[in-house]
Amino acid sequence: MPAAPRSVLPDGGVMAAPTLTRVVKPIGGFFAFTLDTFVAMFKPPFQWREFIQQTWFVASVSLGPAILLGIPFVALVTFQFNLILVEIGAIDLSGSGSGFATVTQIGPVATTFIIAGASSTAICADIGARKIREELDAMEVLGIDTVQRLVVPRVLATAVNAFLLNGVMILIGLSGGFVFGVFLQGASPGQYVDSMKLLVGYPDLVHGEIRAVVFGVVGALIGCYRGMTCAAGPRGVGNAVNETVVYTFLALFPINILLTQIPYSLGIVGGH
Amino acid sequence: MAQMGARSVAESAKRLLTGPLRLLDDLGRQAEFYGKSIAWTPKAVKSYKTEQVRLIAEVGMSSGALAVIGGSSVITLFITLFAGVTGGVQTFDALQNLQLEALGGFASAIINPRLLTPIVAGAALAATVGSGFTAQLGAMRVSEEIDALEVIGVRSLPYLVTTRLVAGMITIIPIFAMAMCGAWIGWKLTQVDFFGLSEGTYDHYMDTFMQWQDVLYSFAQAVGIAVVVILIHTYYGYTASGGPAGVGRAVGKAVRTSLIAVLAVELAISMALYADSDAFRISG
């Protein structure tokens, strides 16, 4: 473990400045990088080939984990919710619970897990490997804008995938809830389907999809940024991927609150 | 051309046929690794006390850039705090639709220990502690430090893997306690201070429906998650290959696998603990 660079002065007050710089500098760098990406997004030519390849790549690393993660996630929530309903004799309302939990929170939150755990890590590992092989420097030398060529297609590809993954999660949620509620905990199938729309509607679906797309964009940006700034050597790439997962989780939960609450406060969703 | 086509068909057929076998092979290797690392526990605890203490400190506080922002415990607290706020916002709105917003404390007492904290803290643990281990061990593997350990006569499995497993099982208890406090504080803050629910009403329903068994069960889930997460992450780190890029891929693969495993383990444990017909009581 190499020791962190320390100030040579024994004065404690001098130590604070480098620590502050270490926290603040990457944040500033990330925002500058985000702006660069959004500027480059509208600058022609758009990299269609890279975009399609990346969409396929992100889908291939995320779809399997999404399905495998979605089933226990939904089963866990439905199982606990149905225990309450059985106790108060309202198991036939099981569909409303599944519909509400899946469309409003489980879909977007499970998408967050997949974006942070699968997509961003794969993107960061890929970009980080290119960085330490000095491919990115080589591209810069050839006059190719790495943000436009590599980052923009990845960000958009992850956004598209997040949109689709949320749909997959909702589908798994509703059908998994059906299996659990009807076959294992004794709800009636007709009542399940009928009560599904009790607490949620079309605006909630759109609300969930918008959140999923925002998560996708933020997750991909963090993965690309951390990959492009990773240190050389084996520990460098490993740490970069590790920090990508942590930062993505740290960013996505606060964003989820803001995006959940603002439409409710404005009265766009809710109130059926 | 026809010959090449025939060969590639034969090759893909062979790949298809050996696919399940390779999967089985990989599962067998993983099972062997897990069994051995658990079996080494007494030896590791007895022989590597210094390394053990150092790892316990490292798991709680993290190292490198993550330590600057507070380490794994503070990160977990932060994530569950925000998850608690999200839960508070979402359930308040749903209950308001049914004119039942007074039951916010009830929802908090049930959802936090049974669902929210185990899921979110499990994911946070995999992200912070787990993938840190994969990065460390992977780096050690590709720079041949693990082979060097074996050469100087130190058994790498107990020294590197079992000590980390024990450290994880010890530190999960305080980390998880912080996570659960975070979820409850976030929930109450939202409903009482932001939405103006009466504090007495909230506390009354929370106290009425809170069961101490739930908290205990939740800790059982936490320990189960910690064991599974650390075993998976150390396996992928210990078997990393392909240079620095391979370490990055190993971390990604480990996170994907462990997130799935976290939820599967939680489902299994919570069905075992709660499937009993009187697991949930409205009164008495």
Side-chain angles (χ1 to χ4, degrees), chain A residues 2-269:
Chain A
R6 273 167 198 282
S7 165
V8 282
L9 296 170
D11 180 10
V14 185
M15 291 293 292
T19 314
L20 191 69
T21 322
R22 274 172 73 191
V23 176
V24 174
K25 226 175 160 181
I27 297 177
F30 176 70
F31 279 106
F33 177 77
T34 309
L35 278 177
D36 280 347
T37 310
F38 281 112
V39 170
M41 217 174 263
F42 300 102
K43 218 171 13 177
F46 183 69
Q47 303 293 326
W48 282 105
R49 180 188 288 268
E50 180 83 1
F51 170 68
I52 291 167
Q53 276 174 354
Q54 285 302 318
T55 311
W56 179 246
F57 170 69
V58 174
S60 68
V61 293
S62 335
L63 187 62
I67 293 170
L68 289 173
L69 182 122
I71 293 169
F73 202 137
V74 165
L76 194 62
V77 175
T78 318
F79 172 71
Q80 290 287 358
F81 187 72
N82 287 353
L83 284 179
I84 302 176
L85 290 178
V86 168
E87 174 72 18
I88 59 173
I91 185 67
D92 286 336
L93 282 176
S94 155
S96 71
S98 279
F100 172 72
T102 311
V103 175
T104 58
Q105 289 296 341
I106 296 180
V109 170
T111 309
T112 303
F113 279 26
I114 293 297
I115 294 291
S119 319
S120 313
T121 52
I123 289 174
C124 176
D126 178 33
I127 300 248
R130 288 167 194 245
K131 161 84 183 170
I132 57 165
R133 286 195 297 251
E134 298 179 0
E135 286 177 35
L136 299 184
D137 299 329
M139 285 174 84
E140 295 282 356
V141 168
L142 291 172
I144 298 168
D145 183 4
T146 45
V147 171
Q148 191 186 11
R149 190 61 75 93
L150 298 173
V151 178
V152 171
R154 279 171 176 75
V155 169
L156 293 176
T158 316
V160 169
N161 270 294
F163 181 81
L164 299 174
L165 280 173
N166 192 28
V168 172
M169 285 298 175
I170 292 173
L171 189 68
I172 294 173
L174 295 180
S175 45
F178 186 86
V179 170
F180 247 76
V182 174
F183 296 130
L184 298 177
Q185 286 169 307
S188 103
Q191 296 267 32
Y192 179 92
V193 176
D194 194 49
S195 66
M196 216 141 74
K197 314 187 281 300
L198 196 67
L199 289 174
V200 283
Y202 183 65
D204 297 283
L205 176 68
V206 176
H207 180 206
E209 288 286 14
I210 291 172
R211 274 188 286 158
V213 169
V214 174
F215 298 158
V217 169
V218 174
L221 280 171
I222 293 175
C224 288
Y225 178 70
R226 200 59 197 82
M228 287 175 115
T229 53
C230 86
R235 214 173 278 257
V237 189
N239 282 345
V241 178
N242 176 8
E243 284 165 29
T244 299
V245 196
V246 175
Y247 298 154
T248 315
F249 273 125
L250 281 179
L252 293 188
F253 276 96
I255 291 175
N256 189 21
I257 299 170
L258 287 179
L259 293 181
T260 303
Q261 183 49 38
I262 289 169
Y264 278 116
S265 303
L266 297 177
I268 301 170
V269 293

